[in-house]
Amino acid sequence: MKIQLSGWGNYPVAECEVRRIYNLSTVKNFVLKNDNLITRGLGRSYADQSLNSSGIVLENGLNRLLDFDERNGILHAESGLSFYDILKIFLKKGYFPSVTPGTKFVTLGGAVASDVHGKNHHKEGSISEHISEITLMLADGSIKKLNPDMDLFWATFSGMGLTGVVLDVKFRLKKVETSYIRFKSVRVKDLDELMAVITENDKNFTYTVAWVDSLAKGKSLGRGVGMFGEHAKLEELPDKLKREPLKFVERRTLSIPFYFPSFLLNDLTIGLFNEAYYITHGTYEGIIDYEKFFYPLDSINHWNRAYGKRGFVQFQFVVPEDKTLIELFESIVKHGGGSFLAVLKRMGNQKGYFAFGMEGWTFALDFPVKSGLFEFLRKLSRKIADKGGRIYLTKDAILEPDVFRDMYPEWRDWKSIKESVDPSNKFQSDFSRRLGL
Amino acid sequence: MKALILGANSEIARNFSEILAEKEHAELLLGSRNEEDLDRTARHLRLKYGIKSHWLKFDATDYQTHKGFFEKTLEILGELDLILIAFGYLGDNEKGIFHFDEARRVFEINFLGAVSILSHAVPYFMERKSGTIIGISSVAGDRGRRSNFIYGSAKSAFSEYLSGLRAYLFQYGVHVMTVKPGPTRTPMTEEMDIKSSLLADPYKVALDIYRAYKKKKPVIYTPRKWKFIMGIIKHIPESIFRRLNV
């Protein structure tokens, strides 16, 4: 079945032969009968990560629960299970994912392939630190159980599906008393204040993130809102909410029904949006539900269509030094090219051959696809590499092999591991070919 | 309620099992050929919905085992309220025309296998004077079409069998429902050269089946549009139909 596929950014788009895994018994057959394939979860990576124009895209339909250890909160499930499913099933039992990405619509397999991180990265690390075992099917059809003592485990996390098919995962959920968050937001007027408020509150909050206006210039450069949260205890809830403390939120109020025409997406309109956002998100303390805190964009169905048919590129990098962040931020604001919402966060170190996280600042923003964009982003990525930083592969649409290799010097070691488990390069994608993996 | 799901590893059956577990808190016994998948699905249902679930290996064409299979089912469940026949085999139409083995396989799985297992279930339901039999047939059975008539005629036989059985069991208070899905996104249609947008979502199909079961409908088409489409197709005169590339 040939389908036009893309990542969440709707750029690039590729016609791919898509097949679906429905049963465990058929996975081995697929793997043995095909010599060019990549698995795909819910397609939330941004660019060509799960596209394969020259082979097969294998959609993951395995989503069964296998076991749940209530005492330790360890969920053993098939890789197609999503964070949405996990919340729907386990929130009412008093469990929450120990790490969650910014959208619920990601599968466990995808979470492994991207080694996803969340608002608690600085305190609790990425998901690889909360998974004790994964079951991987290799190119020869054999099945291996991987744990953190094995190199292949760390090559599979952030490995973009290139080491094999992740069949199932043992993922730790954390025990929570409520599904609410004790929330604090602080509005600040410039970048220095923003960085300071994040650094200060990071010490006291498990979850932190900041929204930054990437268009405001001059004195308002880097104005934004810092957002901090902690799982609320039962006693912290107002009486009204105490009646249903572990409520699952099924909120999908808005939907963007069509692609916005590209003329709507310019610095002026996006700037106005940012202004409105800044004004309406002030300094506040209170209790909000997990959906609002962790998944604000999920409430807008198809929000990616707001960027128009040409799509957008999400650019996320991490750099170790404050001054590098400031320099890069200033270049981005100077260039314009707009973005609805830019995100700033502190990160901690992360293990893995292609691990993204490092001690420093991570910054993420969207750029509607326009001419000149790629040259600009490539220049920025060269600078990022030179300053010891890197780009998050799950979002990348622009990297070329040379800069990629500078950012991820362990690529050689990763490649030897890859060659040992997949000598004929069976698991490949448009992404792997672009980066020369 | 207690239900027997045959062809349990198939996509419509899997979704239907989830719905029964969710909405009826049913106790289920799953039958299919692949044991590992059966075990995983049974465990999943248990973990997710807190229901009791069991499984037994079931092969539609191994007719001799069907009596023992049904007896074992009753032994495990104690009693039975519903049986779902969801196993099927599309086959290769071209191959089936010229190679009888393929046609035979299509008929055995889609039709004879069902008749065989039901020959053991029917007396049980008759004695109880209650129960439901749901057979998943197909729109393909409404008319023999050039691209698909081996499968189509087998399903046609199944539909007529269910129709007669429905009348036969009516006076015993046993309900027989015929389900006619249009093309659905399942392993059966993976190989077909058909646009994915034309394929129905198996969960929606399963939900339609559940709702129709609750309303005790005799026949349903799912998605509903197929009722009208097949209504038209059935009335095209043969002299014209034989020329169409439908």
Side-chain angles (χ1 to χ4, degrees):
Chain A
M1 201 168 308
K2 281 209 176 285
I3 303 183
Q4 294 276 31
L5 282 184
S6 68
W8 192 246
N10 290 318
Y11 179 89
V13 180
E15 196 184 63
C16 304
E17 178 68 39
V18 180
R19 293 302 181 85
R20 192 173 170 85
I21 307 173
Y22 290 98
N23 276 317
L24 189 62
S25 55
T26 51
V27 191
K28 189 167 181 175
N29 243 357
F30 263 124
V31 168
L32 292 178
K33 281 210 183 129
N34 292 289
D35 56 16
N36 180 342
L37 58 106
I38 193 75
T39 23
R40 178 176 168 107
L42 289 165
R44 255 62 179 189
S45 50
Y46 279 75
D48 54 2
Q49 285 77 8
S50 64
L51 302 185
N52 196 1
S53 353
S54 63
I56 292 192
V57 170
L58 209 51
E59 267 182 9
N60 189 351
L62 295 176
N63 59 1
R64 293 171 290 200
L65 305 179
L66 299 173
D67 204 1
F68 183 55
D69 169 7
E70 283 200 29
R71 220 159 44 100
N72 299 306
I74 297 184
L75 168 63
H76 186 196
E78 288 180 325
S79 53
L81 194 71
S82 70
F83 285 76
Y84 171 85
D85 296 327
I86 293 174
L87 288 164
K88 195 155 191 199
I89 300 167
F90 292 97
L91 199 52
K92 58 183 183 282
K93 298 187 212 253
Y95 294 91
F96 194 86
S98 45
V99 167
T100 174
T103 166
K104 310 182 286 293
F105 303 112
V106 166
T107 59
L108 285 173
V112 168
S114 295
D115 195 1
V116 294
H117 59 267
K119 299 177 167 46
N120 56 346
H121 189 273
H122 64 294
K123 276 234 157 94
E124 300 184 316
S126 62
I127 208 172
S128 52
E129 294 193 41
H130 302 268
I131 289 180
S132 53
E133 188 183 281
I134 58 178
T135 305
L136 185 73
M137 179 175 281
L138 303 179
D140 62 4
S142 65
I143 296 179
K144 259 190 138 100
K145 287 200 191 290
L146 308 180
N147 63 60
D149 291 330
M150 301 163 72
D151 287 339
L152 186 55
F153 180 93
W154 297 105
T156 304
F157 277 90
S158 304
M160 301 296 167
L162 299 170
T163 55
V165 182
V166 175
L167 298 175
D168 48 83
V169 162
K170 286 190 180 161
F171 174 44
R172 181 174 47 236
L173 306 181
K174 48 162 93 164
K175 198 106 192 50
V176 291
E177 282 181 30
T178 77
S179 60
Y180 291 89
I181 303 294
R182 180 167 46 86
F183 174 70
K184 170 178 165 186
S185 70
V186 180
R187 181 163 63 195
V188 292
K189 59 177 175 22
D190 61 39
L191 189 60
D192 283 334
E193 255 194 59
L194 189 58
M195 289 167 75
V197 93
I198 292 171
T199 308
E200 188 195 310
N201 283 283
D202 261 10
K203 302 187 201 120
N204 307 320
F205 285 88
T206 302
Y207 298 101
T208 77
V209 76
W211 168 76
V212 200
D213 185 342
S214 64
L215 294 175
K217 294 184 157 120
K219 275 199 289 194
S220 298
L221 183 89
R223 68 177 180 177
V225 183
M227 299 184 262
F228 315 102
E230 209 62 73
H231 288 290
K233 294 207 188 333
L234 192 56
E235 69 220 16
E236 293 172 322
L237 295 189
D239 289 334
K240 180 171 71 158
L241 298 178
K242 277 195 183 133
R243 279 181 246 140
E244 212 189 328
L246 291 165
K247 189 173 174 173
F248 173 76
V249 177
E250 189 83 71
R251 174 193 294 131
R252 217 78 57 75
T253 48
L254 271 138
S255 179
I256 306 206
F258 53 82
Y259 289 89
F260 280 8
S262 44
F263 66 78
L264 270 187
L265 303 166
N266 54 52
D267 282 10
L268 177 64
T269 54
I270 295 179
L272 286 173
F273 176 91
N274 283 1
E275 176 85 29
Y277 193 93
Y278 181 76
I279 291 172
T280 54
H281 287 70
T283 295
Y284 169 82
E285 279 194 56
I287 301 282
I288 61 171
D289 64 54
Y290 71 91
E291 178 78 14
K292 272 214 190 88
F293 184 72
F294 290 106
Y295 311 113
L297 287 173
D298 281 354
S299 8
I300 305 173
N301 252 349
H302 307 297
W303 65 260
N304 52 347
R305 288 184 187 159
Y307 283 103
K309 268 225 168 95
R310 265 189 264 172
F312 65 101
V313 160
Q314 189 171 101
F315 192 69
Q316 178 171 5
F317 60 82
V318 65
V319 286
E321 292 181 18
D322 287 15
K323 67 175 183 344
T324 316
L325 173 73
I326 296 170
E327 273 168 39
L328 289 165
F329 186 73
E330 285 171 355
S331 317
I332 287 169
V333 174
K334 188 159 168 236
H335 182 265
S339 171
F340 279 110
L341 296 167
V343 173
L344 181 68
K345 214 195 124 35
R346 275 206 68 83
M347 283 193 107
N349 278 321
Q350 192 175 320
K351 196 174 165 187
Y353 294 89
F354 290 149
F356 170 64
M358 62 169 69
E359 285 247 10
W361 294 95
T362 182
F363 184 70
L365 78 170
D366 307 327
F367 286 98
V369 173
K370 277 196 181 100
S371 65
L373 175 67
F374 277 42
E375 294 94 285
F376 171 62
L377 293 181
R378 286 193 178 126
K379 259 205 277 228
L380 276 188
S381 53
R382 179 75 263 166
K383 183 162 191 190
I384 291 167
D386 292 342
K387 299 283 184 176
R390 37 193 190 225
I391 280 181
Y392 189 26
L393 298 178
T394 299
K395 309 213 171 157
D396 170 59
I398 58 119
L399 279 180
E400 288 167 324
D402 54 346
V403 180
F404 162 70
R405 286 172 182 178
D406 290 341
M407 289 178 168
Y408 292 95
E410 291 186 66
W411 69 270
R412 277 196 192 84
D413 296 329
W414 184 89
K415 245 201 149 167
S416 6
I417 296 175
K418 157 86 171 169
E419 273 154 21
S420 70
V421 295
D422 183 12
S424 65
N425 197 21
K426 181 177 293 226
F427 296 104
Q428 49 174 293
S429 55
D430 287 1
F431 172 83
S432 68
R433 289 185 288 268
R434 172 164 60 90
L435 293 184
L437 285 172
Chain B
M1 63 153 326
K2 303 194 188 198
L4 171 64
I5 312 285
L6 295 177
N9 283 335
S10 75
E11 207 54 16
I12 295 175
R14 266 244 304 260
N15 280 285
F16 187 74
S17 304
E18 288 239 5
I19 292 171
L20 278 188
E22 184 197 356
K23 298 193 192 283
E24 301 282 325
H25 208 71
E27 181 174 347
L28 301 173
L29 193 141
L30 311 175
S32 194
R33 283 169 302 160
N34 188 285
E35 292 159 289
E36 195 174 6
D37 272 306
L38 275 179
D39 184 53
R40 282 193 169 200
T41 302
R43 267 202 290 172
H44 164 80
L45 292 168
R46 219 175 293 141
L47 279 166
K48 188 170 178 184
Y49 301 105
I51 58 149
K52 289 206 201 112
S53 65
H54 323 268
W55 61 267
L56 284 174
K57 187 166 175 167
F58 176 76
D59 186 330
T61 60
D62 200 351
Y63 314 119
Q64 293 168 308
T65 62
H66 291 179
K67 179 166 192 271
F69 176 88
F70 193 72
E71 280 168 2
K72 188 92 207 217
T73 298
L74 290 177
E75 203 186 295
I76 293 173
L77 291 178
E79 53 180 10
L80 188 63
D81 300 301
L82 186 153
I83 179 171
L84 174 76
I85 308 270
F87 49 83
Y89 174 63
L90 185 64
D92 179 326
N93 200 62
E94 281 296 303
K95 194 168 176 207
I97 300 169
F98 304 105
H99 299 279
F100 178 62
D101 281 339
E102 178 71 352
R104 182 190 197 143
R105 194 168 156 72
V106 170
F107 268 88
E108 292 209 1
I109 294 174
N110 291 298
F111 178 53
L112 292 176
V115 174
S116 169
I117 187 66
L118 285 174
S119 69
H120 305 290
V122 164
Y124 169 79
F125 285 125
M126 278 170 73
E127 231 218 276
R128 276 190 103 203
K129 294 205 182 322
S130 74
T132 306
I133 296 170
I134 303 177
I136 300 188
S137 183
S138 170
V139 294
D142 276 16
R143 187 136 191 196
R145 298 177 299 115
R146 69 192 267 180
S147 59
N148 203 12
F149 62 90
I150 302 289
Y151 175 77
S153 53
K155 284 299 196 183
S156 181
F158 188 39
S159 294
E160 295 306 327
Y161 165 85
L162 289 168
S163 170
L165 189 65
R166 180 164 35 251
Y168 187 87
L169 292 177
F170 184 69
Q171 54 188 306
Y172 293 90
V174 180
H175 177 50
V176 179
M177 182 164 90
T178 307
V179 178
K180 294 180 176 182
T184 306
R185 187 113 206 258
T186 72
M188 190 179 266
T189 54
E190 280 280 283
E191 304 280 337
M192 275 171 76
D193 190 19
I194 185 169
K195 265 187 148 163
S196 62
S197 49
L198 295 173
L199 294 173
D201 170 22
Y203 179 78
K204 290 205 183 112
V205 167
L207 197 55
D208 277 351
I209 298 173
Y210 174 73
R211 288 178 179 150
Y213 151 70
K214 293 298 274 184
K215 291 190 189 149
K216 288 199 184 304
K217 290 203 166 183
V219 182
I220 58 150
Y221 286 83
T222 162
R224 264 199 333 176
K225 66 183 181 199
W226 287 99
K227 183 170 182 183
F228 304 101
I229 299 173
M230 294 324 287
I232 295 168
I233 293 191
K234 277 200 275 200
H235 285 92
I236 300 173
E238 272 293 298
S239 48
I240 296 174
F241 196 76
R242 63 183 168 181
R243 302 181 210 210
L244 296 178
N245 198 3
V246 177

